[in-house]
Structure formats: C-alpha cells, structure tokens
Amino acid sequence: MTEKRPTVLVVEDEPPIAETIVYALKTEGFAPVWHTTGSEALATLRRQSVALVVLDVGLPDMSGFDVCRELRRTHAVPVIFLTARSGEVDKIVGLELGADDYLAKPFSPRELTARIRAVLRRTQASAAPASAPAAVWHHDVERCRIAYRGRALDLTRNEYRLLAVLVAAPGRVFSRDQLMEAAWPDPGAAMDRTVDAHIKLLRGKLRAVAPEADPIVTHRGLGYALREET
Ligand code: CA
C-alpha cells in the first residue's frame, strides 16, 4: 500500500537552512516543495494543494507575515513560522495571522518535523479539508470561529453552534431535533421553529458572502444539510 506523502511547502531564502529542512522532511515521509520567495510560494498555493506551509518571516521579496495574510484570504492551510528574532514572535501572536505554530532559529530539524506532525494531527482532527485551495468552510474549533469562502462569519452563539454541526458533516441531513439538541444547551425551552429562524438568519449571513451559493439545503419533512462541495 502506498500512502500519499503530505506535501509541505517550505518558504526559506537561506539555502543551508532550507536544504536541512528539505532533507529532514524527505526522511520523515513528507514531500517538500521549496521556494525562496513569497511570490513563488503564493503562486504554488494557487496551483496545488499542500498539507502545511513552513514559512520564514524574513524573505527577500515580502515578509512572511504578508505571505500568511495573503494566503489566508483563500486557504485554511496550517502555517508554521520560522523566526530569527524574538520580536518576530511577538508579532506573530500580536497580529493574529492565524499561525498554527512557530520555531525560533536555530532549531533542530527533528524539532520541526515533530511540530509539523503535531499541527497536522490537530488541524486534521478539527477542520474540514485543511489544505484544499479556497476551502469553502474553515472551522477554527479553538477560537469558535467559522470562515466561509475565506471570510470569517460574525455569528451569534446559537448560530455558531448550529452551523458548526452542519459544517462537521457536509451532505448529512440533520433533523430539527438533532440540530436543536446540538445547538441549544437547554433545548426544552426552544420551539421547533427556533431552528428555522436561525437557519434563516444564517442563510442571510452566508448570502452576504456569496449571493448565489445557498449552501444550506432544506430537506422537506426531514431537516437541513450542508451542500457537499466537491
Ligand atoms: Ca530569511
């Protein structure tokens, strides 16, 4: 059985560091793709899907922060930053770029591959297809945020809970009872139509992002499902 090796995009302009990383990734069963500039990396991300990005902060053409910001517009792919100065770490945290981890130079290749595995385990457990280009949905479980087509949604608590259930299983039809149980901690007080009302509000917010898409499907007499996007 041949399992597909996860592609890791390495963006690092210093060849000795990059070569060490690439070698370690190959040894550990990953398929590395190496670029020395941010623009090349972004071009590759537009063409192919990758499992994770290792991103140096100091690049010749643009900063790693800008690369991250740019790719976050369309990708939910996990990012591990490589930093050379401690001030950069503060920035990663402060800018809320959506970095999944960071490593300060110098680091051991072994440490990097361990971090990559940890991030992949975490993101694959919690997220929808983490690396597909322009993933339609991205559910950040830890921050209780859902992004739709690259745009973070501004949701109430109940809307968030409701949508989280649907996003976790695209295509699956949920009855109103199932949705109410999942989304309302005290379902006794809520009427059936509460689900309908919240679905209506959600649809409005999703329409604001993509007017034609209508991703929540009504199954008459059964309930609701999220459209499976392929
Ligand atoms: Ca650098």
Side-chain angles (χ1 to χ4, degrees), residues 12-14 56-59 105:
E12 166 62 67
D13 59 316
E14 288 164 79
D56 184 30
V57 172
L59 295 168
K105 294 177 182 175

Side-chain angles (χ1 to χ4, degrees), residues 12 24 32 42 51 55 60-61 69 78 89 104 179 191:
E12 166 62 67
L42 290 170
L55 184 56
D61 60 335
R69 221 175 266 126
V89 175
L179 289 174
M191 300 290 287

